[in-house]
Amino acid sequence: MAIRFKQRSGHSGLLSRLSLPIFVLIVTFIALFATAASYILIRVQNDHTLKMAEQSMKFVYRNIEYQFDTMNNVAAFFLSNQSIENLLVNTYQEPYEAVSDLYTLETNLQNLSLLSLLNDFGSGNVAQQSYVVSVALEPGSGLYAMAAEHFSPITGIFKNNDLQNQKWFQSLSRGERQNIWWSQRTESDTAMVFSARKKTSLKDGRNIGTLIVGADTRSIRGIFDNARLEEGYHLLLDEADKVIYSERYDFLDDAGALPYVRSLKDSKGSIVTRIDGENHRVMFETLQNGWKLLAVVPESHFSQYTFAISLFGAVTAAVALIIAGFWLRRIVVRVTVPITRLVTAIQRPEVVEFKEPLPYQNTGIYEIDELNQQFASMLVTIHGLIEKSFTEEIERRQLQLELLHAQINPHFLYNTLDLINCRAIMTGDQETSRIVRSLANVFRYGLNRGQTWITLEEEIKQVEAYLHIQKMMMDDLQVEFQIPKELLSTTIVHLILQPLAENAIKHGFADGRTGCRITISARLELEGLVLRVDDNGQGCEADQMNHMLLKQPAREVGEAGEAGTGYGTLNVHRRIQLHSGETYGLRYVKVHEGTSVEVVLPYSRQQKTGRKDAAND
């Protein structure tokens, strides 16, 4: 063994000369891989950071929109409520008569103001914030005389005299907009957001008053506190570009002078602009009331990990190159290449099918050459085992078939049936005699002395005998044969039609229907002899059955067959293919009623060699 090893080691020069190009290939691969990995990591990290900023923006937008929708819903409830309508349009002879209705309306406003605007956003300084709901009455309302003289942005009922000079009130009165939004500080220096709508009578359409819904901006601050940006800031601007809320600017600061605010033309989008000498990404979206929400984030925030990832990728690539250079000759060249050649050789169809021996390799590495030789020896052993297993399986099936034929002794069976037939005739039981004769014919033609081929005429007689017995059990069963006389001498694989007829009776007529009919016909086509069995039973899916016939493995056919179908259509299909070829067999045909199955067979008027007439036994 030692001498053999030394002799083979002298052939390692070629592998040494291959080291340099392979090393260059590995270096290129590692460099490309490190570059691609670093690029992907940078893109993923940057995209993740951008997505987080966008999600913060969407979170704030959805929740602010929810706050404003809630204020609109409060207003819509007030404007459409019939009870409140009645309180506002009632008339009174004396002012004091309206005290009860005024108190009731005041209670309704108080109840509306108790609805939580914050919806528990986790802001510690505004654990629970309520609305301010007030109504400024027109002289046309019956409660006008009892309303407070001067308007104050608190929940209550007021006269509209103090609001006549307000721009928002004038715009609302002129009908320029149905819903006006604005913000202002109250006398207690509270930053508030307001929404106002005109209240018109549901009966005659006259103006009754103005509904004003206000909310403390601390509720909005609670939303922003739960969606803080790691870098940058938010801006919530009204239609005049006044600041409603921002981490950087104060309430009602004029942001319209900012260049990036003036450049926002669309309703939503994202732009990159320079702010304070640095590029910033400005993401913006317009709320339904016309106000704008902005998120301003420095571009450097999105690429903050670029340098670290690039450095890590470069260091990793350098370490990988050092390790690859050290182990390349000992592992890649001297081991991988011979094994790859061995794998390539055993994947060749000629080698796998044992048509060619495994190619010999002299790699200069004792273990690899020994592996190659042992694998070649193993292939030879496997080939012998497969042939032995195949031979034993054929012998086993042949013995099982011989045992089955031995168990079914035709002479004993026919003699027993003849004895039963004679006894039935002697007792005058003609019906039993007919059944016994038909059963004898079924066995006689079915067994066929173990021969594979039979004439079409004898096959018809066998299925006629079987259907004769079935007709005695099914009074309404009708059977029709449409077989041209010139085709009766054709030889076919025996026991083809009976399983199909049996399948039609057991499955097609299983629902107990009446008027059952089976038609068996034969015709010649270019592809050969076509036998067809039609029934008017409950039918089946032709495509599904054809798919089953195509994918059924040959080894499974005949072992179990189909439940409740005797030999089974799969058995019939496979027996035809085994004796006639893969182009022949069964096929299901789509019909409007019942089931139609065709048997395609080769056409030959000469009888197969070795066939004996089972009917003469």
Side-chain angles (χ1 to χ4, degrees), residues 385-401:
L385 291 175
I386 291 176
E387 290 183 343
K388 180 180 179 182
S389 177
F390 180 79
T391 303
E392 291 177 350
E393 180 65 17
I394 293 297
E395 184 178 359
R396 182 179 66 84
R397 290 183 177 270
Q398 184 65 32
L399 291 174
Q400 291 178 346
L401 183 60

Side-chain angles (χ1 to χ4, degrees), residues 234-300:
H234 292 96
L235 275 170
L236 178 61
L237 307 177
D238 63 12
E239 291 182 284
D241 292 333
K242 299 291 184 180
V243 177
I244 305 302
Y245 176 82
S246 175
E247 297 93 336
R248 182 171 181 176
Y249 300 97
D250 294 330
F251 181 70
L252 294 183
D253 282 354
D254 187 7
L258 299 175
Y260 62 89
V261 174
R262 292 199 307 267
S263 64
L264 303 180
K265 304 300 182 183
D266 299 327
S267 60
K268 61 182 297 185
S270 175
I271 63 172
V272 177
T273 184
R274 293 190 68 81
I275 302 175
D276 298 332
E278 183 181 359
N279 285 340
H280 284 68
R281 182 178 296 273
V282 180
M283 296 170 286
F284 62 94
E285 195 160 355
T286 304
L287 300 167
Q288 292 185 4
N289 63 353
W291 293 8
K292 282 188 174 64
L293 175 64
L294 288 74
V296 183
V297 183
E299 280 288 290
S300 59

Side-chain angles (χ1 to χ4, degrees), residues 299-541:
E299 280 288 290
S300 59
H301 176 63
F302 300 122
S303 57
Q304 58 182 326
Y305 299 102
T306 300
F307 177 78
I309 294 175
S310 301
L311 180 60
F312 178 79
V315 172
T316 304
V319 173
L321 287 176
I322 294 174
I323 297 175
F326 179 76
W327 290 103
L328 178 62
R329 180 178 180 84
R330 302 187 59 177
I331 297 178
V332 178
V333 177
R334 298 186 61 84
V335 177
T336 306
V337 172
I339 293 178
T340 303
R341 291 173 180 171
L342 176 61
V343 173
T344 303
I346 65 176
Q347 288 178 342
R348 292 176 56 196
E350 296 84 359
V351 175
V352 176
E353 297 172 2
F354 309 107
K355 295 180 180 178
E356 293 182 3
L358 186 68
Y360 174 76
Q361 287 194 85
N362 186 8
T363 64
I365 303 175
Y366 171 77
E367 292 80 6
I368 299 300
D369 292 343
E370 195 69 15
L371 176 63
N372 187 82
Q373 293 179 4
Q374 293 298 327
F375 196 89
S377 176
M378 184 179 66
L379 287 179
V380 174
T381 304
I382 292 176
H383 185 201
L385 291 175
I386 291 176
E387 290 183 343
K388 180 180 179 182
S389 177
F390 180 79
T391 303
E392 291 177 350
E393 180 65 17
I394 293 297
E395 184 178 359
R396 182 179 66 84
R397 290 183 177 270
Q398 184 65 32
L399 291 174
Q400 291 178 346
L401 183 60
E402 291 175 1
L403 177 62
L404 179 62
H405 280 293
Q407 290 175 337
I408 304 177
N409 190 320
H411 294 283
F412 174 75
L413 183 62
Y414 301 154
N415 292 337
T416 303
L417 292 175
D418 286 339
L419 178 60
I420 296 174
N421 182 34
C422 292
R423 293 292 181 90
I425 294 175
M426 293 174 63
T427 59
D429 191 349
Q430 297 298 324
E431 184 176 357
T432 301
S433 175
R434 289 193 298 271
I435 295 175
V436 171
R437 287 199 303 273
S438 297
L439 182 59
N441 289 332
V442 169
F443 282 120
R444 179 176 292 110
Y445 292 112
L447 293 174
N448 195 32
R449 293 179 61 89
Q451 300 300 316
T452 302
W453 298 89
I454 191 174
T455 64
L456 177 59
E457 181 178 8
E458 293 169 339
E459 180 75 6
I460 293 298
K461 290 179 180 179
Q462 194 271 339
V463 75
E464 278 182 332
Y466 170 77
L467 290 175
H468 179 70
I469 297 174
Q470 292 292 342
K471 290 173 67 176
M472 293 181 181
M473 294 185 290
M474 301 173 60
D475 295 335
D476 59 344
L477 176 62
Q478 298 180 12
V479 180
E480 181 180 358
F481 291 90
Q482 301 175 0
I483 311 296
K485 293 183 178 180
E486 62 272 14
L487 300 180
L488 292 177
S489 61
T490 302
T491 55
I492 64 174
V493 179
H494 89 290
L495 203 58
I496 296 298
L497 295 178
Q498 179 190 329
L500 301 182
E502 182 180 356
N503 200 47
I505 293 173
K506 289 190 175 182
H507 295 284
F509 306 143
D511 55 355
R513 62 179 61 202
T514 59
C516 303
R517 184 180 69 256
I518 296 177
T519 302
I520 299 176
S521 59
R523 68 181 187 276
L524 278 180
E525 293 187 356
L526 293 178
E527 54 190 338
L529 175 66
V530 178
L531 306 180
R532 178 162 175 160
V533 179
D534 295 279
D535 67 72
N536 62 343
Q538 56 187 358
C540 66
E541 292 291 337

